[in-house]
Amino acid sequence: MVILGIETSCDETAASVVKDGREILSHVLATSVQMHIKTGGIIPEKAAREQVKSIIPVIEEALLQASGAGGWRLEPGSSSNLQSLISSLDCIAVTYGPGLIGSLLVGVETAKTLSYLWKKPVVPVNHLTAHIYANWLTGNPTNRNLEPELPAVALVVSGGHTDLVYLKNHGQMEYIGGTRDDAAGEAFDKTARLLGLPYPGGPAIAAAASHYPLPTTHYQSFLPRPMISNNNFDFSFSGLKTAVLREVSNFQHPSSNLPLPTSAFAYEIQEAITDVLVEKSLRAVKQYKAKTFLLAGGVAANSRLREKFELRIKNNKLGIDFRVPPPELCTDNASPIAACAEFNYHPLSWQQISANPNLSIMN
Ligand code: KG4
Ligand code: ZN
């Protein structure tokens, strides 16, 4: 199928055209992150207003790129390509949740309008499930050997969610565990703020951690690894934020004239979060006898997390395939939305679709 994917759950406005759930024909993204950097976090109404401004140009550019015309302003003579691309679309896939309601509505209502105009079905897509499908965007629709083998265990780590699921087959998912409080991305974002680092915290912590001199074998950790030994597959990251606050305040005490060792803190925060994610996920992989481990979501762009999974899976000879999308497909974008719709094709008419900000990965 040829699917137009639309993603507007947070501060990205994105559209992609994807063939057979594997080949990206176009990939366009506008973000209002620069505006949120100034405020140190997302202001939902501002994010939604930016979505309204960007949605039509972004979709238009995605269609033009896929039709081979390029650019988002219609060039003379390119309209026929665009029309034939539109008529070749099998459906429109759109994120309907979870996310910020104002942002979600922009994508959902635009998809419904296009569906009405073009007489195409709409596939409502769960944003969290879609993150996993970034692993199917191999670029090669004919060689099915390249795609992940099922059953798999998947870890979705994003700004608002941390979920471990067992993917028996497409459309057959079982919940294994998840965070009881803050998500992994949220832990990066909140602790970064305590260190005075900019939003979004994940990339800022990763960058600061890279300046920390490579620790010797005697590296002394000083933050907790929450729930790492518990006999379940749940996570909890809110205590980490409190622990960082306590440690940081030692440096901010009037009697302290030591500068805050930002890169050491960043390194330790990244170690603490990634240690827990790796340990619990690999335990789930073993217990569920998965053939593949799939990493997904914005935090999956973290190179230390990717490296730890790679090393543990290789060194422990776990005999499983480890898949993680390229970093630009881990963070929010529309290509996985279209891929997810290909493998979970449940089209609806526009009247049946509405945004659901509180959707969980199991809906
Ligand atoms: O999936 P995503 O793009 O948006 C949501 O669905 O939430 O994830 C955003 C989260 C943010 O918390 C951000 O700090 C984190 O992903 N993130 C990272 C990195 N890049 C983005 N966390 C750690 N290391 C990174 N390189
Ligand atoms: Zn996301």
Side-chain angles (χ1 to χ4, degrees), residues 127 131 158 298 332:
H127 176 86
H131 269 305
S158 71
D332 288 350

Side-chain angles (χ1 to χ4, degrees), residues 1-191:
M1 282 189 286
V2 178
I3 300 181
L4 168 67
I6 300 174
E7 155 63 38
T8 66
S9 64
C10 192
D11 57 339
E12 272 87 19
T13 314
S16 290
V17 178
V18 174
K19 191 176 170 208
D20 295 336
R22 298 163 182 96
E23 190 184 2
I24 299 173
L25 302 183
S26 67
H27 182 91
V28 180
L29 188 136
T31 174
S32 56
V33 71
Q34 289 305 323
M35 175 185 281
H36 309 303
I37 287 173
K38 287 186 201 135
T39 46
I42 294 178
I43 298 176
E45 193 188 322
K46 284 195 171 181
R49 283 175 188 271
E50 291 306 301
Q51 299 277 10
V52 171
K53 282 190 218 159
S54 306
I55 189 76
I56 297 296
V58 163
I59 292 174
E60 189 180 26
E61 183 165 348
L63 293 172
L64 282 167
Q65 278 185 13
S67 70
W72 70 267
R73 296 250 168 244
L74 268 178
E75 300 294 337
S78 64
S79 57
S80 60
N81 282 352
L82 186 64
Q83 283 314 317
S84 69
L85 188 264
I86 292 171
S87 45
S88 73
L89 286 177
D90 291 284
C91 72
I92 303 164
V94 65
T95 299
Y96 76 111
L100 303 171
I101 184 64
S103 292
L104 285 170
L105 280 171
V106 176
V108 168
E109 295 307 313
T110 305
K112 286 160 70 171
T113 308
L114 293 177
S115 155
Y116 178 81
L117 276 175
W118 296 341
K119 301 184 175 44
K120 308 276 179 188
V122 184
V123 178
V125 171
N126 183 315
H127 176 86
L128 300 169
T129 312
H131 269 305
I132 300 173
Y133 280 89
N135 285 293
W136 267 263
L137 293 163
T138 58
N140 190 332
T142 46
N143 188 352
R144 304 280 151 108
N145 293 331
L146 293 177
E147 62 197 53
E149 233 189 311
L150 298 177
V153 162
L155 173 69
V156 183
V157 265
S158 71
H161 296 82
T162 300
D163 291 312
L164 255 179
V165 294
Y166 176 63
L167 190 61
K168 194 169 174 204
N169 215 326
H170 299 298
Q172 288 177 32
M173 206 153 69
E174 196 180 305
Y175 186 75
I176 300 180
T179 186
R180 295 184 179 177
D181 41 57
D182 290 357
E186 205 173 347
F188 272 112
D189 294 337
K190 287 179 175 171
T191 54

Side-chain angles (χ1 to χ4, degrees), residues 96-97 101 105 108-109 112 124 348 350-357:
Y96 76 111
I101 184 64
L105 280 171
V108 168
E109 295 307 313
K112 286 160 70 171
L348 296 174
W350 65 268
Q351 294 95 330
Q352 296 167 289
I353 294 169
S354 51
N356 181 351

Side-chain angles (χ1 to χ4, degrees), residues 234-257:
D234 284 346
F235 302 91
S236 164
F237 291 109
S238 65
L240 194 61
K241 179 187 61 195
T242 318
V244 172
L245 181 62
R246 198 171 44 239
E247 294 290 333
V248 166
S249 61
N250 289 335
F251 288 87
Q252 289 163 341
H253 195 271
S255 66
S256 164
N257 48 15

Side-chain angles (χ1 to χ4, degrees), residues 263-296:
S263 68
F265 266 104
Y267 184 85
E268 172 63 1
I269 290 166
Q270 185 170 258
E271 289 303 295
I273 295 172
T274 54
D275 277 351
V276 184
L277 293 175
V278 172
E279 190 59 40
K280 296 207 110 167
S281 303
L282 294 187
R283 231 184 281 156
V285 166
K286 278 189 212 161
Q287 183 165 319
Y288 281 78
K289 298 186 173 54
K291 289 184 179 165
T292 309
F293 174 65
L294 303 166
L295 185 58

